[in-house]
Amino acid sequence: MAASLARYNAASGKVEMSFLPPQTYMDQMFDSVGEETGAVFFKYTLVILVLLLVPGINLSGIAYSELRKRLPEIGIRKAFGATRREVMWRMLRENLLLSLLGGVLGLLLSYLSIFLLSDWLLASNFGESSSMTLSMFSPWIFGVAFLFCLLINLLSAGIPAWRAAGAEITTALNKEEL
């Protein structure tokens, strides 16, 4: 290919042609911004982490307030010999079960909304509706997103569960501050 390009440039005389290496979509997008790829990637990553941190803190606050309501139950369990690990595992298991049910319900509602509202959701600029409703689902992307949501949920519920499970029996039974 280099030899063909050299012959073409020698024959044309006035114009010199060169081939650039192929660029990925990310490279093209970052080139249009005018910054280095690493700097733009870092900015996007930072924004995404901040946007995920806010719901994580919110979930943690909700989990903490729910666990404070259950402090007498935790105190009774500990009085009957439950270890910190058993109490914490029970709380995390309940939270993960709710997350699993929420993820499945969200997936089913997404399919239902695409099925019922496909004319509106999948319409192109020309008014035609796409018939690719099921082909739009990527199990790999759903799995990664779902695992990430479970991880965020585990972290946001794990810290309050750890604090509540470590409470003394008398503190838990009297509903005192952790």
Side-chain angles (χ1 to χ4, degrees):
M1 186 163 121
S4 299
L5 184 61
R7 278 194 313 263
Y8 178 80
N9 286 336
S12 69
K14 295 182 181 179
V15 179
E16 185 172 317
M17 183 183 285
S18 65
F19 290 113
L20 297 175
Q23 289 185 322
T24 64
Y25 175 75
M26 295 276 289
D27 290 336
Q28 291 173 359
M29 184 176 71
F30 292 144
D31 285 346
S32 67
V33 174
E35 298 181 37
E36 283 190 35
T37 305
V40 175
F41 186 74
F42 176 74
K43 287 179 185 178
Y44 280 121
T45 304
L46 188 64
V47 167
I48 288 171
L49 287 177
V50 167
L51 289 175
L52 292 174
L53 183 67
V54 171
I57 292 171
N58 189 20
L59 283 173
S60 184
I62 292 170
Y64 179 72
S65 72
E66 288 298 318
L67 288 176
R68 285 202 55 209
K69 294 176 188 175
R70 294 178 63 183
L71 277 177
E73 174 192 341
I74 294 169
I76 291 171
R77 287 184 185 281
K78 290 186 89 170
F80 280 108
T83 63
R84 181 179 196 159
R85 181 179 173 200
E86 291 169 346
V87 171
M88 189 170 156
W89 174 243
R90 179 178 177 89
M91 290 181 237
L92 288 177
R93 188 176 55 217
E94 290 172 5
N95 203 339
L96 289 174
L97 179 66
L98 288 174
S99 296
L100 180 66
L101 290 174
V104 170
L105 182 65
L107 180 65
L108 292 175
L109 287 176
S110 297
Y111 270 126
L112 182 66
S113 64
I114 286 179
F115 178 72
L116 294 176
L117 304 171
S118 63
D119 292 338
W120 179 64
L121 290 174
L122 305 174
S124 67
N125 292 339
F126 303 111
E128 300 171 357
S129 179
S130 174
S131 62
M132 301 179 357
T133 55
L134 290 179
S135 64
M136 294 174 64
F137 176 70
S138 171
W140 187 82
I141 292 176
F142 176 76
V144 169
F146 190 67
L147 286 176
F148 192 75
C149 289
L150 285 178
L151 178 69
I152 292 285
N153 189 8
L154 181 68
L155 291 175
S156 64
I159 295 169
W162 177 260
R163 289 183 64 192
E168 295 293 326
I169 296 172
T170 55
T171 303
L173 288 174
N174 293 327
K175 280 190 163 183
E176 293 175 8
E177 189 67 30
L178 294 177

